[in-house]
Amino acid sequence: MASVTERSWEPADHLATPDDARAYLNAALETGETRLIAAALGDIARSEGMSKIAAASGLGRESLYKSLSTEGNPAFSTVLKVLNAFDLRLHAIPVGTATAP
């Protein structure tokens, strides 16, 4: 019988384009789960390079790793700084609208 090899799955390895990252973040936002949203931001930051995002956002790399995880609870100002580092911003759209303008 063949043995089974387990591998951990790293979402950051699959976010090859800015469109991938936006779709991933939008899916997390749709859930309304704050831990999932923070983790998705962390996955995107790792895909782009946490040091690069830390420098662009003016935040510490280690603190970003911690706050952008499923155990993290980033301040709203942190979320906005990270989104800005991704060249993204938040938009309010009515519930039930498929996509932002």
Side-chain angles (χ1 to χ4, degrees):
M1 183 168 161
S3 65
V4 176
T5 303
E6 289 186 30
R7 293 182 284 162
S8 63
W9 187 75
E10 176 56 53
D13 294 340
H14 303 279
L15 301 173
T17 68
D19 286 340
D20 292 342
R22 280 192 302 276
Y24 184 62
L25 180 56
N26 282 329
L29 288 166
E30 284 287 319
T31 70
E33 295 291 328
T34 56
R35 287 181 167 192
L36 185 59
I37 295 165
L41 288 169
D43 292 338
I44 296 166
R46 283 192 311 283
S47 76
E48 293 194 18
M50 192 65 81
S51 294
K52 174 184 166 190
I53 299 304
S57 66
L59 301 167
R61 186 178 61 84
E62 291 299 321
S63 66
L64 283 178
Y65 273 112
K66 184 176 180 179
S67 58
L68 301 181
S69 70
T70 55
E71 292 80 34
N73 188 17
F76 191 64
S77 61
T78 298
V79 171
L80 292 178
K81 288 176 183 178
V82 169
L83 287 173
N84 189 55
F86 296 156
D87 291 327
L88 296 174
R89 62 182 158 195
L90 293 179
H91 286 273
I93 60 171
V95 173
T97 303
T99 59

